[in-house]
Coordinates of all heavy atoms in Angstrom, one line a residue:
M1 N -15.3 -9.3 -31.6 CA -16.3 -9.5 -30.5 C -15.7 -8.7 -29.2 O -16.5 -8.1 -28.5 CB -16.4 -10.9 -30.2 CG -17.5 -11.2 -29.3 SD -19.1 -10.9 -30.0 CE -20.1 -11.9 -29.0
K2 N -14.4 -8.7 -29.0 CA -13.9 -8.1 -27.8 C -14.1 -6.6 -27.9 O -14.4 -5.9 -26.9 CB -12.4 -8.4 -27.6 CG -12.2 -9.8 -27.2 CD -10.7 -10.0 -26.9 CE -10.4 -11.4 -26.5 NZ -9.0 -11.7 -26.3
A3 N -13.9 -6.0 -29.1 CA -14.1 -4.6 -29.2 C -15.5 -4.2 -28.9 O -15.8 -3.1 -28.3 CB -13.7 -4.1 -30.6
H4 N -16.5 -5.0 -29.2 CA -17.9 -4.7 -28.9 C -18.1 -4.7 -27.4 O -18.8 -3.8 -26.9 CB -18.8 -5.8 -29.6 CG -20.2 -5.6 -29.4 ND1 -20.9 -4.5 -30.0 CD2 -21.1 -6.3 -28.7 CE1 -22.2 -4.6 -29.6 NE2 -22.4 -5.7 -28.9
K5 N -17.5 -5.6 -26.7 CA -17.7 -5.6 -25.3 C -17.0 -4.4 -24.6 O -17.6 -3.8 -23.7 CB -17.0 -6.9 -24.6 CG -17.9 -8.2 -24.9 CD -17.3 -9.3 -24.2 CE -18.1 -10.6 -24.4 NZ -17.6 -11.7 -23.7
V6 N -15.9 -4.0 -25.1 CA -15.2 -2.8 -24.5 C -16.0 -1.6 -24.8 O -16.2 -0.8 -23.9 CB -13.8 -2.7 -25.2 CG1 -13.1 -1.4 -24.8 CG2 -12.9 -3.8 -24.7
L7 N -16.6 -1.5 -26.0 CA -17.5 -0.4 -26.3 C -18.6 -0.3 -25.4 O -19.0 0.8 -25.0 CB -17.9 -0.4 -27.8 CG -18.7 0.7 -28.3 CD1 -17.9 2.1 -28.2 CD2 -19.1 0.5 -29.8
N8 N -19.3 -1.4 -25.1 CA -20.4 -1.5 -24.2 C -20.0 -1.0 -22.8 O -20.8 -0.3 -22.2 CB -21.0 -2.9 -24.2 CG -21.8 -3.2 -25.4 OD1 -22.3 -2.4 -26.1 ND2 -22.1 -4.5 -25.6
V9 N -18.9 -1.5 -22.3 CA -18.5 -1.1 -21.0 C -18.2 0.4 -20.9 O -18.6 1.1 -20.0 CB -17.2 -1.9 -20.6 CG1 -16.6 -1.3 -19.3 CG2 -17.5 -3.3 -20.4
L10 N -17.5 0.9 -22.0 CA -17.2 2.4 -22.0 C -18.5 3.2 -22.1 O -18.6 4.2 -21.4 CB -16.3 2.7 -23.2 CG -14.8 2.2 -23.0 CD1 -14.1 2.5 -24.3 CD2 -14.2 2.9 -21.9
T11 N -19.4 2.7 -22.9 CA -20.7 3.4 -23.0 C -21.4 3.5 -21.7 O -21.9 4.5 -21.3 CB -21.6 2.8 -24.1 OG1 -20.9 2.8 -25.3 CG2 -22.9 3.6 -24.2
G12 N -21.4 2.4 -21.0 CA -22.1 2.3 -19.6 C -21.4 3.2 -18.7 O -22.0 3.9 -17.8
A13 N -20.1 3.2 -18.7 CA -19.3 4.1 -17.8 C -19.6 5.5 -18.1 O -19.8 6.3 -17.1 CB -17.8 3.8 -17.9
I14 N -19.7 5.9 -19.3 CA -19.9 7.4 -19.7 C -21.3 7.7 -19.2 O -21.5 8.8 -18.7 CB -19.7 7.5 -21.2 CG1 -18.3 7.4 -21.5 CG2 -20.3 8.8 -21.7 CD1 -17.9 7.3 -23.1
I15 N -22.3 6.8 -19.4 CA -23.7 7.1 -19.0 C -23.7 7.3 -17.5 O -24.4 8.2 -16.9 CB -24.6 6.1 -19.5 CG1 -24.8 6.2 -21.0 CG2 -26.0 6.2 -18.8 CD1 -25.5 5.0 -21.7
T16 N -23.0 6.4 -16.7 CA -23.0 6.5 -15.3 C -22.4 7.8 -14.8 O -22.9 8.4 -13.9 CB -22.3 5.3 -14.7 OG1 -22.9 4.1 -15.2 CG2 -22.2 5.3 -13.2
I17 N -21.2 8.1 -15.4 CA -20.6 9.4 -15.0 C -21.4 10.6 -15.3 O -21.5 11.5 -14.5 CB -19.2 9.5 -15.7 CG1 -18.2 8.4 -15.2 CG2 -18.6 10.9 -15.6 CD1 -17.0 8.3 -16.0
A18 N -22.1 10.6 -16.4 CA -23.0 11.7 -16.8 C -24.1 11.8 -15.8 O -24.5 12.9 -15.3 CB -23.5 11.6 -18.2
F19 N -24.7 10.7 -15.4 CA -25.8 10.7 -14.4 C -25.3 11.2 -13.1 O -25.9 12.0 -12.5 CB -26.3 9.3 -14.2 CG -27.3 9.1 -13.1 CD1 -28.6 9.5 -13.2 CD2 -26.9 8.6 -11.9 CE1 -29.5 9.5 -12.2 CE2 -27.8 8.5 -10.9 CZ -29.1 8.9 -11.0
L20 N -24.1 10.8 -12.7 CA -23.6 11.2 -11.3 C -23.3 12.7 -11.4 O -23.5 13.4 -10.4 CB -22.4 10.4 -11.0 CG -22.6 8.9 -10.6 CD1 -21.3 8.2 -10.4 CD2 -23.5 8.8 -9.4
M21 N -22.8 13.2 -12.5 CA -22.5 14.7 -12.6 C -23.9 15.5 -12.5 O -23.9 16.5 -11.9 CB -21.8 15.0 -13.9 CG -20.4 14.5 -13.9 SD -19.5 14.7 -15.4 CE -19.4 16.5 -15.5
L22 N -24.9 15.0 -13.2 CA -26.2 15.6 -13.2 C -26.8 15.5 -11.8 O -27.4 16.5 -11.3 CB -27.1 15.1 -14.2 CG -26.8 15.4 -15.7 CD1 -27.7 14.6 -16.6 CD2 -26.9 16.9 -15.9
W23 N -26.6 14.4 -11.1 CA -27.1 14.2 -9.8 C -26.5 15.2 -8.9 O -27.1 15.8 -8.0 CB -26.8 12.8 -9.3 CG -27.3 12.5 -8.0 CD1 -26.6 12.6 -6.8 CD2 -28.6 12.1 -7.6 NE1 -27.4 12.3 -5.7 CE2 -28.6 11.9 -6.2 CE3 -29.8 11.8 -8.4 CZ2 -29.8 11.6 -5.5 CZ3 -30.9 11.4 -7.6 CH2 -30.9 11.3 -6.3
G24 N -25.2 15.5 -9.0 CA -24.5 16.4 -8.2 C -25.0 17.8 -8.4 O -24.8 18.7 -7.5
C25 N -25.6 18.1 -9.5 CA -26.1 19.5 -9.8 C -27.5 19.7 -9.3 O -28.0 20.8 -9.5 CB -26.0 19.8 -11.3 SG -24.3 19.7 -11.9
S26 N -28.2 18.7 -8.8 CA -29.6 18.9 -8.4 C -29.7 19.8 -7.2 O -28.7 19.9 -6.4 CB -30.2 17.5 -8.0 OG -30.2 16.7 -9.1
N27 N -30.8 20.4 -7.0 CA -30.9 21.3 -5.8 C -31.4 20.5 -4.6 O -31.8 19.4 -4.7 CB -31.8 22.5 -6.1 CG -33.3 22.1 -6.4 OD1 -33.8 21.2 -5.8 ND2 -33.9 22.8 -7.3
K28 N -31.3 21.2 -3.5 CA -31.6 20.5 -2.2 C -33.1 20.1 -2.1 O -33.4 19.0 -1.5 CB -31.3 21.5 -1.0 CG -31.5 20.9 0.3 CD -31.1 21.8 1.4 CE -31.3 21.1 2.8 NZ -30.7 21.7 3.8
E29 N -34.0 20.8 -2.7 CA -35.4 20.4 -2.7 C -35.6 19.1 -3.4 O -36.4 18.3 -3.0 CB -36.3 21.5 -3.4 CG -36.4 22.7 -2.5 CD -37.2 23.8 -3.2 OE1 -37.8 23.5 -4.3 OE2 -37.2 25.0 -2.7
D30 N -34.9 18.9 -4.5 CA -34.9 17.6 -5.2 C -34.5 16.5 -4.3 O -35.0 15.4 -4.2 CB -34.1 17.6 -6.5 CG -34.7 18.5 -7.5 OD1 -35.9 18.8 -7.5 OD2 -33.9 18.9 -8.4
Y31 N -33.4 16.7 -3.5 CA -32.9 15.7 -2.6 C -33.9 15.4 -1.5 O -34.1 14.2 -1.2 CB -31.6 16.2 -1.9 CG -30.4 16.4 -2.8 CD1 -29.5 17.3 -2.5 CD2 -30.2 15.5 -3.9 CE1 -28.4 17.5 -3.4 CE2 -29.0 15.6 -4.6 CZ -28.2 16.7 -4.4 OH -27.1 16.9 -5.2
E32 N -34.5 16.4 -1.0 CA -35.5 16.2 0.1 C -36.7 15.4 -0.4 O -37.1 14.5 0.3 CB -36.0 17.5 0.6 CG -34.9 18.3 1.4 CD -35.3 19.7 1.8 OE1 -36.4 20.1 1.4 OE2 -34.5 20.3 2.5
Q33 N -37.1 15.6 -1.6 CA -38.2 14.8 -2.2 C -37.7 13.4 -2.5 O -38.5 12.5 -2.1 CB -38.7 15.5 -3.5 CG -39.9 14.8 -4.2 CD -40.3 15.5 -5.5 OE1 -39.6 16.3 -6.0 NE2 -41.5 15.1 -6.0
W34 N -36.6 13.2 -3.0 CA -36.0 11.9 -3.2 C -35.9 11.1 -2.0 O -36.2 10.0 -1.9 CB -34.7 12.0 -4.0 CG -34.2 10.6 -4.3 CD1 -34.5 9.8 -5.4 CD2 -33.1 9.9 -3.6 NE1 -33.8 8.7 -5.4 CE2 -32.9 8.7 -4.3 CE3 -32.4 10.2 -2.4 CZ2 -32.0 7.8 -3.9 CZ3 -31.5 9.2 -2.0 CH2 -31.3 8.0 -2.7
C35 N -35.4 11.8 -0.9 CA -35.2 11.2 0.4 C -36.6 10.7 1.0 O -36.7 9.6 1.5 CB -34.6 12.1 1.4 SG -32.8 12.5 1.0
A36 N -37.6 11.6 0.8 CA -39.0 11.2 1.3 C -39.5 10.0 0.5 O -40.0 9.0 1.2 CB -39.9 12.3 1.1
V37 N -39.2 9.9 -0.8 CA -39.7 8.7 -1.6 C -38.9 7.5 -1.1 O -39.5 6.4 -0.9 CB -39.5 9.0 -3.1 CG1 -39.6 7.7 -3.9 CG2 -40.4 10.1 -3.5
M38 N -37.7 7.6 -0.9 CA -36.8 6.4 -0.5 C -37.2 6.0 0.9 O -37.1 4.8 1.2 CB -35.3 6.8 -0.5 CG -34.8 7.0 -1.9 SD -35.1 5.7 -3.1 CE -34.1 4.4 -2.4
M39 N -37.6 6.9 1.8 CA -38.1 6.5 3.1 C -39.3 5.6 3.0 O -39.5 4.7 3.9 CB -38.4 7.7 4.0 CG -37.1 8.5 4.4 SD -36.0 7.6 5.5 CE -37.0 7.6 7.0
E40 N -40.1 5.8 2.0 CA -41.3 5.0 1.9 C -41.1 3.7 1.1 O -41.8 2.7 1.3 CB -42.4 5.8 1.1 CG -42.8 7.0 1.9 CD -43.5 6.7 3.2 OE1 -44.2 5.7 3.3 OE2 -43.3 7.4 4.2
K41 N -40.0 3.6 0.4 CA -39.7 2.5 -0.5 C -39.1 1.4 0.4 O -38.2 1.6 1.2 CB -38.6 2.9 -1.5 CG -38.3 1.8 -2.5 CD -37.4 2.3 -3.6 CE -37.0 1.3 -4.6 NZ -36.1 1.8 -5.6
P42 N -39.6 0.1 0.4 CA -39.1 -1.0 1.2 C -37.6 -1.2 0.9 O -37.1 -1.1 -0.2 CB -39.9 -2.2 0.7 CG -41.1 -1.7 0.1 CD -40.7 -0.3 -0.5
N43 N -36.8 -1.4 1.9 CA -35.4 -1.6 1.7 C -35.0 -2.7 0.8 O -34.0 -2.7 0.1 CB -34.7 -1.8 3.1 CG -34.6 -0.6 4.0 OD1 -35.0 0.5 3.6 ND2 -34.1 -0.7 5.2
G44 N -35.8 -3.7 0.8 CA -35.6 -4.8 -0.1 C -35.7 -4.5 -1.6 O -35.1 -5.2 -2.4
D45 N -36.3 -3.3 -1.9 CA -36.4 -2.9 -3.3 C -35.3 -1.9 -3.7 O -35.3 -1.5 -4.9 CB -37.8 -2.2 -3.5 CG -39.0 -3.2 -3.3 OD1 -38.7 -4.4 -3.4 OD2 -40.1 -2.7 -3.2
W46 N -34.5 -1.5 -2.8 CA -33.4 -0.6 -3.1 C -32.3 -1.4 -3.9 O -32.1 -2.5 -3.7 CB -32.8 0.0 -1.8 CG -33.6 0.9 -1.0 CD1 -35.0 1.0 -1.1 CD2 -33.2 1.9 -0.1 NE1 -35.4 1.9 -0.2 CE2 -34.3 2.6 0.4 CE3 -32.0 2.3 0.3 CZ2 -34.3 3.6 1.3 CZ3 -31.9 3.4 1.2 CH2 -33.0 4.0 1.7
V47 N -31.7 -0.6 -4.8 CA -30.5 -1.2 -5.4 C -29.2 -0.6 -4.8 O -29.3 0.4 -4.1 CB -30.5 -0.9 -7.0 CG1 -31.7 -1.6 -7.6 CG2 -30.6 0.6 -7.2
D48 N -28.1 -1.2 -5.0 CA -26.9 -0.9 -4.3 C -26.6 0.7 -4.3 O -26.2 1.2 -3.3 CB -25.7 -1.6 -4.8 CG -25.7 -3.1 -4.3 OD1 -26.4 -3.4 -3.3 OD2 -25.1 -3.9 -4.9
P49 N -26.6 1.3 -5.5 CA -26.3 2.8 -5.5 C -27.2 3.6 -4.6 O -26.8 4.6 -4.1 CB -26.4 3.1 -7.0 CG -26.2 1.9 -7.7 CD -26.8 0.8 -6.8
E50 N -28.4 3.1 -4.5 CA -29.4 3.9 -3.7 C -29.0 4.0 -2.2 O -29.2 5.0 -1.6 CB -30.8 3.4 -3.8 CG -31.4 3.6 -5.2 CD -32.7 2.9 -5.5 OE1 -33.0 1.8 -4.8 OE2 -33.5 3.4 -6.2
F51 N -28.4 2.9 -1.7 CA -28.0 2.9 -0.3 C -26.9 4.0 0.0 O -27.0 4.7 0.9 CB -27.4 1.5 0.1 CG -28.5 0.4 0.3 CD1 -28.6 -0.6 -0.7 CD2 -29.3 0.4 1.4 CE1 -29.6 -1.5 -0.5 CE2 -30.3 -0.5 1.6 CZ -30.4 -1.5 0.6
E52 N -25.9 4.0 -0.9 CA -24.8 5.0 -0.8 C -25.4 6.4 -1.0 O -25.0 7.3 -0.2 CB -23.8 4.7 -1.8 CG -22.6 5.6 -1.6 CD -21.4 5.2 -2.6 OE1 -21.4 4.1 -3.0 OE2 -20.7 6.1 -2.9
Q53 N -26.3 6.6 -2.0 CA -26.8 7.9 -2.2 C -27.6 8.4 -1.1 O -27.6 9.5 -0.7 CB -27.6 7.9 -3.5 CG -26.7 7.7 -4.8 CD -27.5 7.5 -6.1 OE1 -28.8 7.5 -6.0 NE2 -26.9 7.3 -7.2
F54 N -28.4 7.5 -0.5 CA -29.3 7.8 0.6 C -28.4 8.3 1.8 O -28.7 9.3 2.4 CB -30.2 6.7 1.0 CG -31.1 7.0 2.1 CD1 -32.4 7.6 1.8 CD2 -30.8 6.7 3.4 CE1 -33.3 8.0 2.8 CE2 -31.8 7.1 4.4 CZ -33.0 7.7 4.1
A55 N -27.4 7.5 2.1 CA -26.5 7.9 3.2 C -25.9 9.3 3.0 O -25.8 10.1 3.9 CB -25.4 6.8 3.4
Q56 N -25.4 9.5 1.7 CA -24.8 10.8 1.4 C -25.8 12.0 1.4 O -25.5 13.0 2.0 CB -24.0 10.8 0.1 CG -22.8 9.8 0.1 CD -22.2 9.7 -1.3 OE1 -22.8 10.1 -2.2 NE2 -21.0 9.1 -1.3
R57 N -26.9 11.8 0.7 CA -27.8 12.9 0.5 C -28.8 13.2 1.6 O -29.2 14.3 1.9 CB -28.6 12.7 -0.8 CG -27.8 12.3 -2.0 CD -27.0 13.5 -2.5 NE -26.3 13.2 -3.7 CZ -25.3 13.9 -4.2 NH1 -24.8 14.9 -3.5 NH2 -24.8 13.5 -5.3
C58 N -29.2 12.0 2.3 CA -30.3 12.2 3.3 C -29.8 12.1 4.7 O -30.4 12.7 5.6 CB -31.3 11.1 3.1 SG -31.9 11.0 1.4
L59 N -28.6 11.4 4.9 CA -28.1 11.3 6.3 C -26.8 12.1 6.5 O -26.3 12.2 7.6 CB -27.8 9.8 6.6 CG -29.0 8.9 6.5 CD1 -28.5 7.4 6.7 CD2 -30.1 9.2 7.4
G60 N -26.3 12.7 5.4 CA -25.1 13.5 5.5 C -23.9 12.8 5.7 O -22.9 13.3 6.2
E61 N -23.9 11.4 5.4 CA -22.7 10.6 5.7 C -21.8 10.6 4.4 O -22.4 10.5 3.3 CB -23.1 9.2 6.1 CG -23.8 9.1 7.4 CD -24.3 7.7 7.7 OE1 -23.8 6.8 7.1 OE2 -25.0 7.6 8.7
E62 N -20.6 10.6 4.5 CA -19.7 10.5 3.4 C -18.9 9.2 3.4 O -18.6 8.7 4.3 CB -18.6 11.7 3.4 CG -19.3 13.0 3.4 CD -19.7 13.5 2.0 OE1 -19.0 13.1 1.0 OE2 -20.6 14.2 1.9

């Protein structure tokens, strides 16, 4: 049972890393479109990673 949980965690981590790597390769126009969509989305509907990504991609904060 423990091996199954470890495999699930590792799979999730690999998927997250792959997503972040692909996200970093997106072009500026994609960011601008995403930023515009996020500006319209109510803050209560944002998930935690979106706050950080918005600050980095749209506000230029690191």
Side-chain angles (χ1 to χ4, degrees):
M1 189 71 159
K2 288 183 182 180
H4 182 67
K5 286 185 179 183
V6 170
L7 184 60
N8 284 341
V9 170
L10 288 175
T11 302
I14 290 169
I15 291 171
T16 301
I17 290 168
F19 172 77
L20 292 174
M21 288 175 70
L22 290 173
W23 180 264
C25 295
S26 296
N27 65 33
K28 186 174 179 169
E29 291 177 8
D30 290 341
Y31 294 144
E32 290 173 357
Q33 183 179 13
W34 183 81
C35 291
V37 169
M38 293 305 292
M39 290 293 290
E40 298 298 322
K41 184 176 180 179
N43 287 356
D45 293 344
W46 290 26
V47 294
D48 287 337
E50 291 175 329
F51 287 106
E52 184 177 335
Q53 291 171 359
F54 184 84
Q56 290 175 350
R57 307 293 186 200
C58 306
L59 303 177
E61 297 179 8
E62 299 278 332

